[in-house]
Amino acid sequence: MKRTMRAAALGLAAWTMAGPALALDLTKKRANLPDLVLGNEEGNDFVVENREIELESGKAYRLRIVAKGRQEYKFYATEFFRNIWFNQIVIQHLEIHGSGPPDHLEFDDPGEIAIEFVTIKSGEYPWSVHGLESKGMTGKFIVK
């Protein structure tokens, strides 16, 4: 019994240490998702394009979150961010790498933020633009 538990613990440790390396290999085969667009250029700051996005667990993706409206958009997807592995966040061709998820993404002006990630856990994860939920600035990520 002790030998089996020791082997399982060593296997888990090896898999954990290889996890980021495996995820990096996955990101080379990432799929580009449709842009999640907040607002539009016609003056409707509260319209949302691609409110619900479906993904598969264990796959790599790139998502561009694009602000076209003139509002300050504070994009929260807390549970989703906690249940994905971030490869990078890209803003104007500048990359941000880190070991933990961001609290939220904020747009003070029109622009885009791209996130590259691997989904880890299936589930439905809501997102919202803080303070603008009543205007319809909500949606969800569905990871199957």
Side-chain angles (χ1 to χ4, degrees):
M1 182 70 121
K2 286 183 181 180
R3 179 176 284 191
T4 304
M5 291 190 64
R6 186 180 313 151
L10 288 172
L12 179 60
W15 181 83
T16 302
M17 290 187 302
L22 292 173
L24 285 174
D25 287 343
L26 281 173
T27 61
K28 292 178 183 175
K29 298 176 185 174
R30 73 175 182 266
N32 290 319
L33 294 167
D35 294 350
L36 194 161
V37 183
L38 309 173
N40 66 24
E41 294 162 341
E42 289 79 44
N44 186 343
D45 290 346
F46 309 111
V47 68
V48 176
E49 189 177 317
N50 296 315
R51 186 178 307 274
E52 290 186 6
I53 297 177
E54 290 190 16
L55 311 110
E56 288 183 52
S57 182
K59 295 204 173 183
Y61 295 97
R62 180 175 188 262
L63 172 66
R64 290 177 355 126
I65 303 167
V66 181
K68 290 189 175 181
R70 295 284 175 188
Q71 297 292 314
E72 177 180 71
Y73 299 115
K74 294 180 181 178
F75 183 87
Y76 281 83
T78 308
E79 290 303 311
F80 180 70
F81 290 164
R82 288 182 184 155
N83 287 288
I84 62 176
W85 175 82
F86 275 92
N87 179 39
Q88 63 184 1
I89 299 171
V90 181
I91 304 168
Q92 295 182 352
H93 303 287
L94 303 171
E95 300 172 4
I96 301 168
H97 298 267
S99 61
D103 180 63
H104 67 282
L105 305 174
E106 185 171 332
F107 298 85
D108 291 330
D109 293 307
E112 75 176 59
I113 297 174
I115 59 174
E116 294 181 12
F117 59 92
V118 175
T119 53
I120 297 172
K121 186 177 176 186
S122 60
E124 291 191 9
Y125 302 101
W127 64 261
S128 65
V129 176
H130 184 69
L132 299 176
E133 297 91 346
S134 65
K135 303 275 188 183
M137 307 281 307
T138 63
K140 63 183 167 181
F141 295 103
I142 303 163
V143 182
K144 296 181 178 183

